Amino acid sequence: MEPAPGPQEKYQLITRNLQEVLGEDKLMAILKERELRIYWGTATTGKPHVAYFVPMSKIADFLKAGCEVTILFADLHAYLDNMKAPWELLELRTRYYEHVIKAMLESIGVPLDRLRFVRGTDYQLSKEYTLDVYRLSSVVTQHDAKKAGAEVVKQVEHPLLSGLLYPGLQALDEEYLKVDAQFGGVDQRKIFTFAEKYLPSLGYAKRVHLMNPMVPGLTGSKMSSSEEDSKIDLLDRKEDVKKKLKKAFCEPGNVENNGVLSFIKHVLFPLKSEFVVLREEKWGGNKTYTDYEALEKDFAEQVVHPGDLKNSVEVALNKLLDPIREKFNSPELKKLSSAAYPNPSKAKPGEKGTKNSEPEEVIPSRLDIRVGKVISVEKHPDADSLYVEKIDVGEAEPRTVVSGLVQFVPKEQLQDRLVVLLCNLKPQKMRGVESQGMVLCASSVGEPRQVEPLDPPAGCCAGERVYVEGYEGGEPDEELKPKKKVFEKLQVDFRVSEDCVAQWKQRNFLTKLGRVSCKSLKGGTIS
């Protein structure tokens, strides 16, 4: 039997892989006296996905360190956050969260008997709690409440009062759950500092706050329930996991905003203390890493290929998901899942969202547009006006793209250039070579015709998403159906502004680093 860890070892376990700790001295003082009491809360809104394994693996660390852990299913918070979860669905979604979170914890070997599970409405509707909400509202300014929720509460043009109450309730939870510390993502920091400022004004103690980094999703941005391609659902079939991982951003040698590497660091390594890269013998065979830094170094130096990394994560992830899939294969939980998160496409005829009630929306978020890096450019073997390019868009293999740019752009100007690529057109053969995308270019209106490839902002990485301002959160079609002419309908309103910025209906094309532009073709079209 292993000896119980001392205060320093407990501190290391509790804080490993965290981005920030507020109240380190208080944390150490408590650990020297007794076990830490800590809680993690989750608002029961969007469907949990594999990123939830990140806090789950930290909860496993807390239990190893002897902590008393409470998990809060924040059902009332879910309703207050601009009604992300309608009241009539709250009970169903809360039950779904309880089942799926427990299944996740069991899949990583966490003993449930050492955890306390609480619903927010178990105590947040009591007389005492309600009076404290009023007491808090008498000392908190509107400015501080709005600022505290800025990273967590859905921001709208005309915010509801409920969104201003949200941070105060989360602060009071620390007192009513009788904990020493609260754990969450670094996006909760403003709520945590709000709690530290205002709880003492009610005569309550300031708590310790532990923050996880925000783990990038598969597209390189935050993993989100509302962005389908950025996340893998806990109940996704194995073939869906493979497909989503194949599309994941994982540029060779790039360790920044790499969701695949981040998942290994924050989930797989802490659980097993090792990670096996699976490779064919001709590429060196399998390699076992016992510390994450060595794996990251090998990936940065391109000793480990993105395709091998993705395949290895796929195997490890499916081992975690198998027991969850099995549990949710029961008729009772299948029924709960479909009731808590009804599929809009299966709604009854005439209901909102069905094919029978409304025409299909043609909006820019249906286009899968990404930053690409041109790896090679060759003349088409059977067409003098066409190039055949290999373009890296952050997938396991570069895409083959055929472009009619020979008479407009010299080959050397395309080589190693960043371009903007439409990735979800149906692949089609162009003079015998299958093209798997379209390089978007600006074209002059008059004669002689000039063409310039669109330029992503400097510093972008291959695979980063390009979106139209105001349409950041939508989900691209898996593949644009040629008969529906979605791209053609949108492309009619593509223009280059007077300051050379690519636009749709005067809304800018953007990446997370800024605007997409062209070199000189003001007022031009885009195709």
Side-chain angles (χ1 to χ4, degrees):
M1 188 174 174
E2 289 184 21
Q8 190 60 47
E9 290 120 311
K10 289 179 182 179
Y11 181 89
Q12 294 297 336
L13 267 173
I14 290 167
T15 60
R16 75 169 172 175
N17 285 337
L18 294 180
Q19 183 161 324
E20 189 175 2
V21 178
L22 299 176
E24 293 175 275
D25 292 343
K26 185 173 184 178
L27 172 59
M28 183 54 85
I30 292 169
L31 291 174
K32 286 177 179 177
E33 290 183 14
R34 57 175 173 80
E35 306 298 2
L36 185 75
R37 293 189 290 267
I38 186 168
Y39 100 88
W40 172 74
T42 179
T44 52
T45 53
K47 205 173 184 184
H49 45 78
V50 295
Y52 278 63
F53 275 118
V54 178
M56 297 303 104
S57 70
K58 274 312 300 175
I59 287 167
D61 280 347
F62 298 151
L63 290 173
K64 284 176 195 167
C67 300
E68 297 171 19
V69 180
T70 297
I71 292 180
L72 171 67
F73 297 109
D75 48 357
L76 192 56
H77 287 74
Y79 184 69
L80 289 176
D81 187 1
N82 280 284
M83 292 183 12
K84 277 184 183 174
W87 193 259
E88 58 273 17
L89 277 180
L90 265 180
E91 169 63 22
L92 291 167
R93 290 192 174 176
T94 303
R95 280 172 51 208
Y96 180 88
Y97 263 70
E98 288 176 349
H99 283 290
V100 87
I101 294 292
K102 288 176 181 178
M104 291 180 78
L105 289 163
E106 286 174 330
S107 85
I108 63 173
V110 172
L112 299 186
D113 57 355
R114 292 180 55 197
L115 293 163
R116 179 171 68 127
F117 297 93
V118 178
R119 288 190 185 197
T121 47
D122 289 345
Y123 64 90
Q124 289 165 346
L125 300 177
S126 69
K127 177 183 174 182
E128 295 77 14
Y129 189 94
T130 304
L131 284 173
D132 269 345
V133 172
Y134 286 130
R135 286 174 65 205
L136 198 59
S137 69
S138 71
V139 293
V140 172
T141 65
Q142 180 188 358
H143 170 271
D144 282 3
K146 186 176 180 182
K147 180 183 173 186
E151 299 291 327
V152 176
V153 177
K154 186 179 179 183
Q155 298 300 294
V156 293
E157 189 176 353
H158 301 291
L160 300 173
L161 181 59
S162 58
L164 299 178
L165 291 174
Y166 190 108
L169 268 67
Q170 190 167 334
L172 287 172
D173 290 341
E174 297 179 347
E175 176 63 25
Y176 279 78
L177 291 171
K178 302 300 177 189
V179 295
D180 308 304
Q182 184 178 171
F183 164 62
V186 75
D187 59 340
Q188 307 264 340
R189 191 182 196 282
K190 289 176 181 174
I191 290 181
F192 291 166
T193 55
F194 172 93
E196 292 189 5
K197 178 179 179 180
Y198 282 107
L199 277 188
S201 69
L202 300 188
Y204 298 142
K206 187 190 293 190
R207 266 62 178 192
V208 175
H209 292 104
L210 309 170
M211 284 166 271
N212 250 350
M214 297 310 294
V215 174
L218 299 178
T219 54
S221 56
K222 176 183 171 181
M223 200 177 283
S224 161
S225 295
S226 60
E227 237 187 279
E228 191 64 29
D229 266 0
S230 82
K231 54 96 177 180
I232 293 172
D233 189 90
L234 295 164
L235 305 180
D236 272 349
R237 300 170 305 164
K238 290 187 177 184
E239 51 266 41
D240 294 325
V241 172
K242 180 184 285 291
K243 185 165 64 176
K244 289 181 180 180
L245 275 170
K246 188 177 179 182
K247 291 171 68 175
F249 171 70
C250 192
E251 184 183 39
N254 186 353
V255 299
E256 299 298 322
N257 289 322
N258 187 322
V260 181
L261 274 177
S262 294
F263 190 78
I264 295 168
K265 178 178 181 179
H266 293 283
V267 177
L268 300 177
F269 251 109
L271 293 177
K272 300 286 185 184
S273 300
E274 67 174 32
F275 182 73
V276 181
V277 174
L278 306 171
R279 293 185 297 205
E280 293 181 37
E281 285 300 326
K282 64 180 178 180
W283 304 119
N286 296 353
K287 182 168 182 180
T288 301
Y289 290 89
T290 53
D291 70 276
Y292 172 77
E293 286 70 25
L295 172 62
E296 187 179 276
K297 180 173 180 288
D298 275 2
F299 186 82
E301 294 173 358
Q302 300 190 34
V303 174
V304 174
H305 187 274
D308 293 329
L309 195 72
K310 288 180 181 183
N311 291 340
S312 307
V313 168
E314 181 190 338
V315 170
L317 179 54
N318 277 318
K319 283 181 182 174
L320 294 180
L321 296 181
D322 278 341
I324 302 172
R325 293 184 188 116
E326 187 177 345
K327 184 171 184 177
F328 273 77
N329 207 27
S330 71
E332 180 195 352
L333 290 184
K334 276 184 178 178
K335 185 177 177 182
L336 174 62
S337 181
S338 59
Y341 297 95
N343 186 342
S345 66
K346 293 183 181 175
K348 293 174 185 175
E351 288 182 353
K352 187 177 179 183
T354 67
K355 292 178 182 177
N356 297 344
S357 62
E358 295 176 7
E360 202 171 45
E361 255 191 317
V362 179
I363 51 175
S365 54
R366 294 183 63 182
L367 305 179
D368 181 5
I369 307 177
R370 300 185 226 166
V371 176
K373 184 175 182 180
V374 180
I375 296 172
S376 68
V377 190
E378 301 295 339
K379 283 274 192 80
H380 193 297
D382 297 318
D384 291 342
S385 63
L386 302 178
Y387 285 131
V388 179
E389 303 122 1
K390 293 286 187 184
I391 300 180
D392 178 9
V393 287
E395 297 170 339
E397 300 293 335
R399 293 194 178 206
T400 300
V401 178
V402 179
S403 303
L405 294 174
V406 171
Q407 57 187 310
F408 302 107
V409 185
K411 179 178 171 181
E412 56 272 15
Q413 286 185 20
L414 278 177
Q415 182 67 46
D416 298 323
R417 177 181 185 144
L418 288 180
V419 293
V420 175
L421 195 73
L422 179 60
C423 293
N424 59 342
L425 288 173
K426 184 177 181 180
Q428 60 176 338
K429 287 199 173 182
M430 298 179 70
R431 302 290 294 272
V433 177
E434 184 176 82
S435 183
Q436 300 166 326
M438 178 194 291
V439 176
L440 295 182
C441 298
S443 300
S444 61
V445 177
E447 296 294 337
R449 188 178 177 219
Q450 294 175 272
V451 176
E452 295 173 358
L454 294 183
D455 292 315
C460 282
C461 296
E464 283 185 35
R465 190 172 175 199
V466 177
Y467 53 87
V468 170
E469 194 172 7
Y471 293 87
E472 294 89 336
E475 177 193 345
D477 289 13
E478 186 70 34
E479 182 179 278
L480 297 172
K481 306 300 179 198
K483 286 184 180 178
K484 294 188 177 180
K485 299 192 178 299
V486 173
F487 174 70
E488 290 81 356
K489 290 173 184 175
L490 291 165
Q491 191 257 338
V492 168
D493 294 302
F494 286 1
R495 291 287 183 275
V496 179
S497 71
E498 289 304 308
D499 52 354
C500 290
V501 176
Q503 296 183 331
W504 175 78
K505 291 188 175 181
Q506 300 183 317
R507 292 172 178 258
N508 295 335
F509 280 55
L510 301 169
T511 73
K512 61 187 177 184
L513 295 181
R515 303 184 301 182
V516 173
S517 60
C518 70
K519 189 176 178 183
S520 64
L521 300 181
K522 299 177 183 179
T525 60
I526 298 171
S527 58

